Amino acid sequence: MTVHADTFLDLTQHEIQALRTEFNLADAHTHQRQSASQHGIVERLPQLWYEAEEGLQATYEQRFTEAFFRLHRQPTALEKNKTLLSYAASISTMVVAMYLKRQRMAVTLVEPCFDNLHDVLSNMGVPLYPIDESALHDVDRIYTELKRRVRTDALFLVDPNNPTGFSLMSHGRRGLEEVVRYCKDHDKLLVIDFCFASFTLYDEELARFDVYELLEDSGVRYLVIEDTGKTWPVQDAKAAMLTASDDIKEDVYNLHTSVLLNVSPFVLNMLAEYIENSAKDGMASVRDLLDVNRAAVKEALAGTILEYQEPVAKTSVAWAKIRHPELTATELQRELRGEGVYVLPGRFFFWNEPGKGEPYIRMALAREPEMFAGAMKRLREVLDRYAG
Ligand SMILES: *Cc1c(COP(=O)(O)O)cnc(C)c1O
């Protein structure tokens, strides 16, 4: 389908257009090639295929879930063994939305965030209210800020956040503890999207502690989404996970089974290989590439009107702010697109107040470094037009 380039209603429509652009820095999916050891997995794909044909579905579900939660150091999630698998995080989010809708709950969703979350919830008929991410920035104020601002029965957070990279884990245990304490005291359902959590796995200051232990012990009502899709270069052959607190897990299970039976055992078997590979190299194949491209962004932006925003958590996207009195992100994005570089304008991430996003653009980092360097060169040429 071809649509006029200026009629895009959401980020995905931008991303579809960007897939035809020379330098696509729009979607945060993984477009890099395989690392040396990942090539070995691709070579063994026929074997993984036949293995999956032979065994029981439950075997591959178990293998995948164990590998995932072991890599993420989430022993309580492993032990509880109640996580539901789906094809994509958006499917898990749809199930969350179905649950909220059925319970006639409205939800308070962090702003900014990836617009797909807002759109899924909104298209499922769930009333949404924003909470500015800054409510979470000062750990001593989290409880009072939530108390002051949340007026709905559910609170939906993204950690680390896409696009800003903010993470509650930067406060140590206490950040999430304060959120949980608030939700427990005020009988709120806590929903957390951890789709970007793999990027901080080996970061001492930001790696997750056993968050499921905290959630379970507190008795808070919760729904947690985990994902593989943004981490490994697997051509979108991904799987996501949804875990619910005991008090609602049966209701959630009944909604989940109305959507799907199972994820492909072949995909689960293959993903388990990627996960185990990353456990062996300490996430090096994922992180090193992102580090190289992040350094390239910083270098390309240095001294220009586009200021790199140093994130709390280094994820697979870069967030930058325009320092120019007249130039908006919408205009800069259009100009860059004309030069073959597709970035995302900030408006869409500010799903409640798009105007707040006008100073920002987002660039995806999970790309081949060679292509990425070319994109940065072109970006710099455009930015230099605004120099002086
Ligand atoms: C990409 C993304 C999703 C959705 O993942 P899909 O694989 O597109 O369904 C959800 N949450 C976050 C934070 C994401 O970045």
mmCIF file of all heavy atoms in Angstrom, residues 324-360:
data_model
loop_
_atom_site.group_PDB
_atom_site.id
_atom_site.type_symbol
_atom_site.label_atom_id
_atom_site.label_comp_id
_atom_site.label_asym_id
_atom_site.label_seq_id
_atom_site.Cartn_x
_atom_site.Cartn_y
_atom_site.Cartn_z
ATOM 1 N N HIS A 324 17.488 24.966 18.290
ATOM 2 C CA HIS A 324 17.388 25.967 17.224
ATOM 3 C C HIS A 324 16.056 26.680 17.423
ATOM 4 O O HIS A 324 15.030 26.020 17.620
ATOM 5 C CB HIS A 324 17.432 25.267 15.861
ATOM 6 C CG HIS A 324 17.495 26.212 14.697
ATOM 7 N ND1 HIS A 324 16.388 26.846 14.189
ATOM 8 C CD2 HIS A 324 18.541 26.617 13.936
ATOM 9 C CE1 HIS A 324 16.751 27.603 13.174
ATOM 10 N NE2 HIS A 324 18.052 27.499 13.001
ATOM 11 N N PRO A 325 16.055 27.998 17.363
ATOM 12 C CA PRO A 325 14.836 28.740 17.716
ATOM 13 C C PRO A 325 13.636 28.450 16.824
ATOM 14 O O PRO A 325 12.496 28.508 17.281
ATOM 15 C CB PRO A 325 15.273 30.213 17.620
ATOM 16 C CG PRO A 325 16.539 30.209 16.831
ATOM 17 C CD PRO A 325 17.186 28.876 17.069
ATOM 18 N N GLU A 326 13.856 28.144 15.548
ATOM 19 C CA GLU A 326 12.698 27.974 14.661
ATOM 20 C C GLU A 326 12.454 26.546 14.188
ATOM 21 O O GLU A 326 11.333 26.197 13.841
ATOM 22 C CB GLU A 326 12.830 28.859 13.406
ATOM 23 C CG GLU A 326 12.505 30.311 13.650
ATOM 24 C CD GLU A 326 13.738 31.177 13.475
ATOM 25 O OE1 GLU A 326 14.461 30.978 12.499
ATOM 26 O OE2 GLU A 326 13.999 32.020 14.358
ATOM 27 N N LEU A 327 13.520 25.752 14.188
ATOM 28 C CA LEU A 327 13.401 24.429 13.563
ATOM 29 C C LEU A 327 12.644 23.441 14.455
ATOM 30 O O LEU A 327 12.986 23.241 15.618
ATOM 31 C CB LEU A 327 14.807 23.891 13.267
ATOM 32 C CG LEU A 327 14.891 22.572 12.516
ATOM 33 C CD1 LEU A 327 14.346 22.700 11.103
ATOM 34 C CD2 LEU A 327 16.334 22.077 12.494
ATOM 35 N N THR A 328 11.598 22.813 13.891
ATOM 36 C CA THR A 328 10.882 21.775 14.639
ATOM 37 C C THR A 328 11.350 20.396 14.177
ATOM 38 O O THR A 328 11.930 20.253 13.096
ATOM 39 C CB THR A 328 9.360 21.863 14.396
ATOM 40 O OG1 THR A 328 9.111 21.568 13.011
ATOM 41 C CG2 THR A 328 8.798 23.212 14.763
ATOM 42 N N ALA A 329 11.049 19.394 14.991
ATOM 43 C CA ALA A 329 11.427 18.024 14.639
ATOM 44 C C ALA A 329 10.687 17.580 13.381
ATOM 45 O O ALA A 329 11.232 16.859 12.550
ATOM 46 C CB ALA A 329 11.121 17.081 15.798
ATOM 47 N N THR A 330 9.448 18.017 13.261
ATOM 48 C CA THR A 330 8.666 17.655 12.076
ATOM 49 C C THR A 330 9.369 18.149 10.814
ATOM 50 O O THR A 330 9.489 17.421 9.827
ATOM 51 C CB THR A 330 7.244 18.242 12.179
ATOM 52 O OG1 THR A 330 6.660 17.742 13.390
ATOM 53 C CG2 THR A 330 6.378 17.848 11.007
ATOM 54 N N GLU A 331 9.876 19.388 10.868
ATOM 55 C CA GLU A 331 10.577 19.945 9.698
ATOM 56 C C GLU A 331 11.910 19.247 9.464
ATOM 57 O O GLU A 331 12.248 18.899 8.328
ATOM 58 C CB GLU A 331 10.827 21.456 9.900
ATOM 59 C CG GLU A 331 9.581 22.289 9.751
ATOM 60 C CD GLU A 331 9.720 23.672 10.391
ATOM 61 O OE1 GLU A 331 10.773 23.961 11.022
ATOM 62 O OE2 GLU A 331 8.774 24.452 10.258
ATOM 63 N N LEU A 332 12.656 19.052 10.533
ATOM 64 C CA LEU A 332 13.973 18.407 10.389
ATOM 65 C C LEU A 332 13.805 16.982 9.874
ATOM 66 O O LEU A 332 14.552 16.525 9.005
ATOM 67 C CB LEU A 332 14.721 18.410 11.730
ATOM 68 C CG LEU A 332 16.096 17.734 11.696
ATOM 69 C CD1 LEU A 332 17.046 18.435 10.714
ATOM 70 C CD2 LEU A 332 16.730 17.704 13.092
ATOM 71 N N GLN A 333 12.812 16.281 10.415
ATOM 72 C CA GLN A 333 12.556 14.904 9.968
ATOM 73 C C GLN A 333 12.262 14.887 8.475
ATOM 74 O O GLN A 333 12.758 14.034 7.743
ATOM 75 C CB GLN A 333 11.386 14.336 10.785
ATOM 76 C CG GLN A 333 11.102 12.867 10.563
ATOM 77 C CD GLN A 333 10.142 12.601 9.418
ATOM 78 O OE1 GLN A 333 9.379 13.481 9.020
ATOM 79 N NE2 GLN A 333 10.204 11.406 8.883
ATOM 80 N N ARG A 334 11.472 15.847 8.014
ATOM 81 C CA ARG A 334 11.101 15.904 6.596
ATOM 82 C C ARG A 334 12.327 16.199 5.734
ATOM 83 O O ARG A 334 12.526 15.583 4.689
ATOM 84 C CB ARG A 334 10.028 16.984 6.402
ATOM 85 C CG ARG A 334 9.228 16.801 5.138
ATOM 86 C CD ARG A 334 8.026 17.736 5.106
ATOM 87 N NE ARG A 334 7.037 17.399 6.105
ATOM 88 C CZ ARG A 334 6.218 18.283 6.688
ATOM 89 N NH1 ARG A 334 6.303 19.567 6.400
ATOM 90 N NH2 ARG A 334 5.337 17.892 7.574
ATOM 91 N N GLU A 335 13.152 17.106 6.223
ATOM 92 C CA GLU A 335 14.349 17.464 5.469
ATOM 93 C C GLU A 335 15.298 16.259 5.372
ATOM 94 O O GLU A 335 15.829 15.953 4.306
ATOM 95 C CB GLU A 335 15.048 18.654 6.151
ATOM 96 C CG GLU A 335 16.197 19.214 5.338
ATOM 97 C CD GLU A 335 16.784 20.482 5.958
ATOM 98 O OE1 GLU A 335 16.180 21.018 6.915
ATOM 99 O OE2 GLU A 335 17.851 20.918 5.496
ATOM 100 N N LEU A 336 15.469 15.579 6.498
ATOM 101 C CA LEU A 336 16.347 14.399 6.513
ATOM 102 C C LEU A 336 15.792 13.301 5.609
ATOM 103 O O LEU A 336 16.538 12.624 4.899
ATOM 104 C CB LEU A 336 16.512 13.874 7.945
ATOM 105 C CG LEU A 336 17.395 14.726 8.858
ATOM 106 C CD1 LEU A 336 17.254 14.269 10.306
ATOM 107 C CD2 LEU A 336 18.856 14.634 8.411
ATOM 108 N N ARG A 337 14.494 13.144 5.630
ATOM 109 C CA ARG A 337 13.863 12.122 4.794
ATOM 110 C C ARG A 337 14.139 12.413 3.319
ATOM 111 O O ARG A 337 14.425 11.513 2.534
ATOM 112 C CB ARG A 337 12.356 12.131 5.058
ATOM 113 C CG ARG A 337 11.622 10.942 4.498
ATOM 114 C CD ARG A 337 10.160 11.014 4.891
ATOM 115 N NE ARG A 337 9.452 12.045 4.147
ATOM 116 C CZ ARG A 337 8.317 12.621 4.552
ATOM 117 N NH1 ARG A 337 7.771 12.298 5.704
ATOM 118 N NH2 ARG A 337 7.739 13.538 3.818
ATOM 119 N N GLY A 338 14.115 13.690 2.968
ATOM 120 C CA GLY A 338 14.438 14.092 1.600
ATOM 121 C C GLY A 338 15.856 13.736 1.215
ATOM 122 O O GLY A 338 16.178 13.565 0.039
ATOM 123 N N GLU A 339 16.725 13.622 2.217
ATOM 124 C CA GLU A 339 18.138 13.270 1.972
ATOM 125 C C GLU A 339 18.393 11.783 2.203
ATOM 126 O O GLU A 339 19.541 11.345 2.288
ATOM 127 C CB GLU A 339 19.048 14.090 2.891
ATOM 128 C CG GLU A 339 18.931 15.591 2.732
ATOM 129 C CD GLU A 339 19.457 16.081 1.385
ATOM 130 O OE1 GLU A 339 20.303 15.391 0.789
ATOM 131 O OE2 GLU A 339 18.987 17.150 0.921
ATOM 132 N N GLY A 340 17.334 11.013 2.363
ATOM 133 C CA GLY A 340 17.496 9.565 2.484
ATOM 134 C C GLY A 340 17.763 9.055 3.882
ATOM 135 O O GLY A 340 18.105 7.897 4.066
ATOM 136 N N VAL A 341 17.629 9.929 4.897
ATOM 137 C CA VAL A 341 17.830 9.493 6.282
ATOM 138 C C VAL A 341 16.476 9.557 7.012
ATOM 139 O O VAL A 341 15.914 10.639 7.165
ATOM 140 C CB VAL A 341 18.844 10.377 7.029
ATOM 141 C CG1 VAL A 341 19.045 9.873 8.456
ATOM 142 C CG2 VAL A 341 20.176 10.411 6.285
ATOM 143 N N TYR A 342 15.996 8.402 7.425
ATOM 144 C CA TYR A 342 14.682 8.378 8.055
ATOM 145 C C TYR A 342 14.814 8.273 9.572
ATOM 146 O O TYR A 342 15.216 7.255 10.104
ATOM 147 C CB TYR A 342 13.843 7.207 7.511
ATOM 148 C CG TYR A 342 12.372 7.540 7.431
ATOM 149 C CD1 TYR A 342 11.717 7.584 6.208
ATOM 150 C CD2 TYR A 342 11.641 7.842 8.578
ATOM 151 C CE1 TYR A 342 10.358 7.903 6.119
ATOM 152 C CE2 TYR A 342 10.301 8.169 8.498
ATOM 153 C CZ TYR A 342 9.668 8.194 7.266
ATOM 154 O OH TYR A 342 8.324 8.518 7.184
ATOM 155 N N VAL A 343 14.479 9.346 10.269
ATOM 156 C CA VAL A 343 14.444 9.344 11.741
ATOM 157 C C VAL A 343 12.981 9.546 12.148
ATOM 158 O O VAL A 343 12.147 9.841 11.302
ATOM 159 C CB VAL A 343 15.326 10.466 12.339
ATOM 160 C CG1 VAL A 343 16.766 10.326 11.871
ATOM 161 C CG2 VAL A 343 14.776 11.840 11.993
ATOM 162 N N LEU A 344 12.683 9.376 13.422
ATOM 163 C CA LEU A 344 11.296 9.578 13.855
ATOM 164 C C LEU A 344 11.148 10.910 14.579
ATOM 165 O O LEU A 344 11.961 11.254 15.436
ATOM 166 C CB LEU A 344 10.850 8.450 14.778
ATOM 167 C CG LEU A 344 10.690 7.080 14.118
ATOM 168 C CD1 LEU A 344 10.273 6.037 15.160
ATOM 169 C CD2 LEU A 344 9.687 7.109 12.970
ATOM 170 N N PRO A 345 10.103 11.658 14.229
ATOM 171 C CA PRO A 345 9.844 12.928 14.920
ATOM 172 C C PRO A 345 9.272 12.658 16.315
ATOM 173 O O PRO A 345 8.544 11.693 16.520
ATOM 174 C CB PRO A 345 8.808 13.605 14.022
ATOM 175 C CG PRO A 345 8.107 12.482 13.324
ATOM 176 C CD PRO A 345 9.095 11.350 13.207
ATOM 177 N N GLY A 346 9.614 13.522 17.263
ATOM 178 C CA GLY A 346 9.244 13.301 18.657
ATOM 179 C C GLY A 346 7.762 13.366 18.977
ATOM 180 O O GLY A 346 7.308 12.810 19.972
ATOM 181 N N ARG A 347 7.000 14.031 18.129
ATOM 182 C CA ARG A 347 5.573 14.253 18.422
ATOM 183 C C ARG A 347 4.833 13.005 18.850
ATOM 184 O O ARG A 347 4.023 13.032 19.769
ATOM 185 C CB ARG A 347 4.830 14.752 17.172
ATOM 186 C CG ARG A 347 5.193 16.084 16.677
ATOM 187 C CD ARG A 347 4.308 16.445 15.474
ATOM 188 N NE ARG A 347 2.913 16.693 15.853
ATOM 189 C CZ ARG A 347 2.498 17.838 16.377
ATOM 190 N NH1 ARG A 347 3.340 18.819 16.572
ATOM 191 N NH2 ARG A 347 1.232 17.996 16.710
ATOM 192 N N PHE A 348 5.090 11.913 18.125
ATOM 193 C CA PHE A 348 4.287 10.705 18.333
ATOM 194 C C PHE A 348 4.528 10.054 19.695
ATOM 195 O O PHE A 348 3.690 9.315 20.178
ATOM 196 C CB PHE A 348 4.560 9.694 17.217
ATOM 197 C CG PHE A 348 4.076 10.162 15.870
ATOM 198 C CD1 PHE A 348 4.898 10.912 15.044
ATOM 199 C CD2 PHE A 348 2.789 9.870 15.446
ATOM 200 C CE1 PHE A 348 4.457 11.355 13.812
ATOM 201 C CE2 PHE A 348 2.334 10.316 14.211
ATOM 202 C CZ PHE A 348 3.174 11.061 13.388
ATOM 203 N N PHE A 349 5.701 10.305 20.267
ATOM 204 C CA PHE A 349 6.005 9.695 21.565
ATOM 205 C C PHE A 349 5.248 10.414 22.687
ATOM 206 O O PHE A 349 4.994 9.849 23.732
ATOM 207 C CB PHE A 349 7.509 9.721 21.834
ATOM 208 C CG PHE A 349 8.282 8.891 20.841
ATOM 209 C CD1 PHE A 349 8.840 9.458 19.714
ATOM 210 C CD2 PHE A 349 8.409 7.528 21.035
ATOM 211 C CE1 PHE A 349 9.528 8.683 18.792
ATOM 212 C CE2 PHE A 349 9.092 6.742 20.122
ATOM 213 C CZ PHE A 349 9.657 7.324 19.000
ATOM 214 N N PHE A 350 4.943 11.684 22.427
ATOM 215 C CA PHE A 350 4.135 12.442 23.399
ATOM 216 C C PHE A 350 2.687 12.278 22.979
ATOM 217 O O PHE A 350 2.093 13.154 22.350
ATOM 218 C CB PHE A 350 4.595 13.898 23.422
ATOM 219 C CG PHE A 350 5.936 14.072 24.096
ATOM 220 C CD1 PHE A 350 7.108 13.895 23.377
ATOM 221 C CD2 PHE A 350 6.018 14.359 25.444
ATOM 222 C CE1 PHE A 350 8.345 14.021 24.001
ATOM 223 C CE2 PHE A 350 7.257 14.493 26.071
ATOM 224 C CZ PHE A 350 8.411 14.315 25.340
ATOM 225 N N TRP A 351 2.151 11.112 23.324
ATOM 226 C CA TRP A 351 0.850 10.702 22.795
ATOM 227 C C TRP A 351 -0.281 11.567 23.317
ATOM 228 O O TRP A 351 -1.332 11.662 22.698
ATOM 229 C CB TRP A 351 0.604 9.226 23.098
ATOM 230 C CG TRP A 351 0.774 8.882 24.553
ATOM 231 C CD1 TRP A 351 1.925 8.457 25.156
ATOM 232 C CD2 TRP A 351 -0.218 8.952 25.565
ATOM 233 N NE1 TRP A 351 1.709 8.263 26.491
ATOM 234 C CE2 TRP A 351 0.400 8.550 26.774
ATOM 235 C CE3 TRP A 351 -1.573 9.305 25.594
ATOM 236 C CZ2 TRP A 351 -0.294 8.503 27.987
ATOM 237 C CZ3 TRP A 351 -2.253 9.256 26.796
ATOM 238 C CH2 TRP A 351 -1.610 8.852 27.967
ATOM 239 N N ASN A 352 -0.079 12.249 24.444
ATOM 240 C CA ASN A 352 -1.136 13.104 24.976
ATOM 241 C C ASN A 352 -0.976 14.546 24.508
ATOM 242 O O ASN A 352 -1.955 15.199 24.161
ATOM 243 C CB ASN A 352 -1.138 13.049 26.498
ATOM 244 C CG ASN A 352 -2.286 13.850 27.091
ATOM 245 O OD1 ASN A 352 -3.447 13.600 26.775
ATOM 246 N ND2 ASN A 352 -1.957 14.840 27.912
ATOM 247 N N GLU A 353 0.269 15.011 24.492
ATOM 248 C CA GLU A 353 0.550 16.389 24.080
ATOM 249 C C GLU A 353 1.645 16.397 23.037
ATOM 250 O O GLU A 353 2.814 16.656 23.363
ATOM 251 C CB GLU A 353 1.025 17.198 25.297
ATOM 252 C CG GLU A 353 -0.054 17.981 25.989
ATOM 253 C CD GLU A 353 0.536 18.917 27.033
ATOM 254 O OE1 GLU A 353 0.750 18.457 28.184
ATOM 255 O OE2 GLU A 353 0.814 20.069 26.694
ATOM 256 N N PRO A 354 1.297 16.114 21.767
ATOM 257 C CA PRO A 354 2.312 15.966 20.716
ATOM 258 C C PRO A 354 3.266 17.159 20.618
ATOM 259 O O PRO A 354 4.440 16.991 20.292
ATOM 260 C CB PRO A 354 1.485 15.823 19.445
ATOM 261 C CG PRO A 354 0.172 15.291 19.909
ATOM 262 C CD PRO A 354 -0.055 15.866 21.270
ATOM 263 N N GLY A 355 2.770 18.343 20.925
ATOM 264 C CA GLY A 355 3.597 19.543 20.821
ATOM 265 C C GLY A 355 4.870 19.456 21.665
ATOM 266 O O GLY A 355 5.904 20.012 21.293
ATOM 267 N N LYS A 356 4.767 18.745 22.775
ATOM 268 C CA LYS A 356 5.932 18.603 23.654
ATOM 269 C C LYS A 356 7.067 17.835 22.978
ATOM 270 O O LYS A 356 8.211 17.892 23.412
ATOM 271 C CB LYS A 356 5.534 17.822 24.915
ATOM 272 C CG LYS A 356 4.842 18.612 25.984
ATOM 273 C CD LYS A 356 4.759 17.703 27.206
ATOM 274 C CE LYS A 356 4.035 18.327 28.370
ATOM 275 N NZ LYS A 356 3.753 17.303 29.407
ATOM 276 N N GLY A 357 6.730 17.096 21.928
ATOM 277 C CA GLY A 357 7.745 16.292 21.246
ATOM 278 C C GLY A 357 8.445 17.034 20.131
ATOM 279 O O GLY A 357 9.390 16.519 19.531
ATOM 280 N N GLU A 358 8.004 18.268 19.839
ATOM 281 C CA GLU A 358 8.567 18.979 18.687
ATOM 282 C C GLU A 358 10.076 19.230 18.753
ATOM 283 O O GLU A 358 10.718 19.324 17.728
ATOM 284 C CB GLU A 358 7.798 20.270 18.403
ATOM 285 C CG GLU A 358 6.595 20.078 17.496
ATOM 286 C CD GLU A 358 6.905 19.408 16.135
ATOM 287 O OE1 GLU A 358 8.072 19.207 15.803
ATOM 288 O OE2 GLU A 358 5.938 19.072 15.430
ATOM 289 N N PRO A 359 10.671 19.315 19.940
ATOM 290 C CA PRO A 359 12.133 19.477 19.924
ATOM 291 C C PRO A 359 12.910 18.169 19.751
ATOM 292 O O PRO A 359 14.135 18.214 19.705
ATOM 293 C CB PRO A 359 12.447 20.076 21.308
ATOM 294 C CG PRO A 359 11.144 20.376 21.950
ATOM 295 C CD PRO A 359 10.124 19.534 21.270
ATOM 296 N N TYR A 360 12.242 17.028 19.675
ATOM 297 C CA TYR A 360 12.974 15.754 19.746
ATOM 298 C C TYR A 360 12.890 14.896 18.488
ATOM 299 O O TYR A 360 11.871 14.899 17.799
ATOM 300 C CB TYR A 360 12.439 14.904 20.907
ATOM 301 C CG TYR A 360 12.633 15.514 22.257
ATOM 302 C CD1 TYR A 360 11.572 16.161 22.896
ATOM 303 C CD2 TYR A 360 13.865 15.452 22.894
ATOM 304 C CE1 TYR A 360 11.744 16.732 24.147
ATOM 305 C CE2 TYR A 360 14.045 16.014 24.147
ATOM 306 C CZ TYR A 360 12.979 16.660 24.775
ATOM 307 O OH TYR A 360 13.151 17.220 26.000
#
